[in-house]
Amino acid sequence: MSESFDIRKWFKNPDELLVISGPCSVESREQLLKTAEGLSKIDQVKVLRGGIWKPRTRPEAFEGIGEKGLLWMGEAKERYGFLTMTEVAVPEHVELALKYGIDILWIGARTVVNPFSVQELADCLKGCDIPVFVKNPIAPDLKLWLGAIERLSGAGLACLGGIHRGFSAIEESRYRNAPVWDIPIELKRLCPDIQIITDVSHICGCRELLQEVAQEALNFGTIGFMIESHCNPEKALTDANQQITPESLKNALDKLVVRKKMVDKDEVILKNFRSEIDVIDDEILNLVAKRMNVSEQIGKFKKEHKVTVLQMDRWTKVLEKNINKGLNLGLDEETVKQIFEIIHKGSIKRQL
Ligand code: PEP
Ligand code: MN
């Protein structure tokens, strides 16, 4: 662990991969210090996370060690030079975290869904310059995530980050919380000053997927990770399936292929590809406009002849034919389906 990591500088210029690790829940002094000792051997880990108050779905589950865990976080910080980070959900948590010298806060997915709670936290943080990361809300609702960030920014907080921890979904999936990469990307576009990292542990929900999802996140351009670690993961009181030992974390990080920022030579090569893409995009738009004009004429005909706008048989055939054509062209079914669903929706709108 490099002693001199400056999180405020990182927020201004995130030029190195930030790795935040530590237990889902702080369980005992021994567990925290043993985990921290293991993590101290991993250069990339600059921040020690530890859940002190746990938002549990069922009331009988372990709800966190509470205030005394903050003392142990301070001890780990002193021993190993980490910055420390914990989750806050109510103003009392903020007050205690600040009192015990926690360096960074995060707001959890279950809290972010409630604007009243977020506003209370923002009010209580007014005038503090502590960095705060905001996890995405449980549901894939960009506005809710954005709203939480706006409330904190309105309270004058300058170092604000986002954490993509995936979204719960109705459909069965291999993830605990499926990632939707477009959402953090759109958040970054809307708030360029927000630094967004990825919590692969809560996305995966199991150890087996971590490596693959961490690599995927890097390929999308993530600039940091939150990964839960525990000295004895199988015995963890919370999230036992997804925590890994510091040793496994080191192995996983060593195996990752970190993508570099673009240099001038890459830019030149990409420029040619991008010009080609721009020409194709123009063609696509012209064709869509042409198709919509035909739809409008069809709409007029249907109106005159009093036939319904939606002709289900025709739509089923159009979709089927184009999916097959797309497959022959090497496109994937879902992409073709989505493209035609959007075009069809636009076309129906034109005909009404
Ligand atoms: C956690 O980080 O342990 C946690 C409770 O996360 P989330 O809010 O993403 O569920
Ligand atoms: Mn957890």
Side-chain angles (χ1 to χ4, degrees):
M1 237 276 310
S2 72
E3 299 278 317
S4 56
F5 180 69
D6 182 340
I7 186 74
R8 286 177 179 79
K9 221 157 107 194
W10 180 86
F11 265 99
K12 283 205 191 81
N13 178 26
D15 56 353
E16 59 179 311
L17 187 76
L18 173 66
V19 181
I20 300 168
S21 190
C24 175
S25 300
V26 174
E27 298 166 7
S28 67
R29 179 173 174 271
E30 196 204 5
Q31 168 245 11
L32 182 67
L33 292 179
K34 198 159 172 218
T35 309
E37 191 207 349
L39 293 173
S40 71
K41 298 183 184 125
I42 311 175
D43 254 5
Q44 295 104 311
V45 180
K46 312 290 187 203
V47 179
L48 176 71
R49 67 152 274 159
I52 299 290
W53 303 280
K54 299 304 297 176
R56 304 312 303 284
T57 308
R58 305 283 303 277
E60 67 272 22
F62 176 64
E63 290 188 307
I65 199 80
E67 188 170 344
K68 61 177 176 254
L70 293 169
L71 262 180
W72 307 330
M73 290 288 279
E75 217 177 319
K77 172 179 171 168
E78 202 149 291
R79 256 194 218 187
Y80 301 109
F82 292 113
L83 295 178
T84 53
M85 180 171 183
T86 201
E87 173 175 352
V88 290
V90 293
E92 191 202 346
H93 297 162
V94 173
E95 279 151 24
L96 284 168
L98 294 176
K99 180 175 149 197
Y100 283 89
I102 293 288
D103 300 292
I104 309 166
L105 305 177
W106 89 80
I107 303 182
R110 290 166 187 77
T111 308
V112 176
V113 293
N114 184 347
F116 289 124
S117 300
V118 175
Q119 192 58 52
E120 266 183 15
L121 291 172
D123 292 344
C124 156
L125 281 162
K126 218 167 248 168
C128 302
D129 76 336
I130 191 163
V132 180
F133 280 90
V134 182
K135 291 216 184 184
N136 64 248
I138 292 171
D141 183 340
L142 172 64
K143 287 198 185 128
L144 211 45
W145 198 5
L146 189 61
I149 286 165
E150 285 165 347
R151 286 174 199 280
L152 294 164
S153 165
L157 291 165
C159 293
L160 284 175
I163 303 179
H164 181 209
R165 47 79 81 197
F167 301 94
S168 63
I170 298 172
E171 316 91 63
E172 277 275 320
S173 104
R174 62 199 201 112
Y175 304 103
R176 177 175 176 194
N177 295 290
V180 184
W181 304 105
D182 307 358
I183 295 185
I185 290 169
E186 181 62 3
L187 179 68
K188 182 69 184 171
R189 193 183 69 79
L190 295 171
C191 315
D193 295 336
I194 301 295
Q195 305 303 354
I196 305 174
I197 64 168
T198 311
D199 172 350
V200 280
S201 301
H202 289 86
I203 288 178
C204 297
C206 65
R207 288 179 266 283
E208 296 68 31
L209 272 181
L210 286 174
Q211 185 80 45
E212 179 192 327
V213 173
Q215 187 61 56
E216 195 174 317
L218 274 182
N219 298 351
F220 270 105
T222 201
I223 52 170
F225 289 119
M226 179 181 262
I227 305 180
E228 289 184 339
S229 56
H230 192 292
C231 54
N232 190 358
E234 285 84 8
K235 291 274 151 60
L237 297 181
T238 56
D239 289 350
N241 294 338
Q242 70 194 30
Q243 303 204 61
I244 53 174
T245 60
E247 294 70 33
S248 310
L249 175 64
K250 188 168 177 4
N251 276 334
L253 291 173
D254 286 347
K255 276 197 235 146
L256 288 175
V257 181
V258 178
R259 296 201 173 190
K260 60 183 170 63
K261 282 209 177 127
M262 275 203 272
V263 293
D264 289 352
K265 195 169 95 260
D266 300 328
E267 287 277 13
V268 172
I269 297 170
L270 275 182
K271 214 169 138 193
N272 294 330
F273 284 130
R274 285 177 173 158
S275 313
E276 212 175 315
I277 291 265
D278 288 345
V279 172
I280 297 171
D281 284 350
D282 267 1
E283 284 170 16
I284 293 176
L285 266 184
N286 283 329
L287 285 174
V288 171
K290 205 167 154 189
R291 194 187 191 283
M292 291 300 167
N293 285 337
V294 179
S295 293
E296 211 165 291
Q297 291 170 45
I298 292 183
K300 274 190 199 130
F301 176 87
K302 286 177 179 167
K303 204 171 190 176
E304 276 164 27
H305 292 80
K306 296 197 172 58
V307 289
T308 56
V309 167
L310 178 64
Q311 297 287 320
M312 205 56 202
D313 286 356
R314 166 73 181 150
W315 165 229
T316 310
K317 276 186 199 134
V318 168
L319 196 58
E320 233 174 65
K321 185 188 76 189
N322 285 301
I323 284 177
N324 284 331
K325 252 194 170 158
L327 287 174
N328 285 333
L329 290 168
L331 298 169
D332 73 279
E333 178 168 345
E334 194 50 34
T335 307
V336 180
K337 190 166 167 258
Q338 281 178 8
I339 291 171
F340 277 91
E341 275 169 356
I342 292 169
I343 290 178
H344 185 245
K345 217 164 132 186
S347 165
I348 293 277
K349 226 161 105 187
R350 280 278 181 117
Q351 295 182 36
L352 288 173

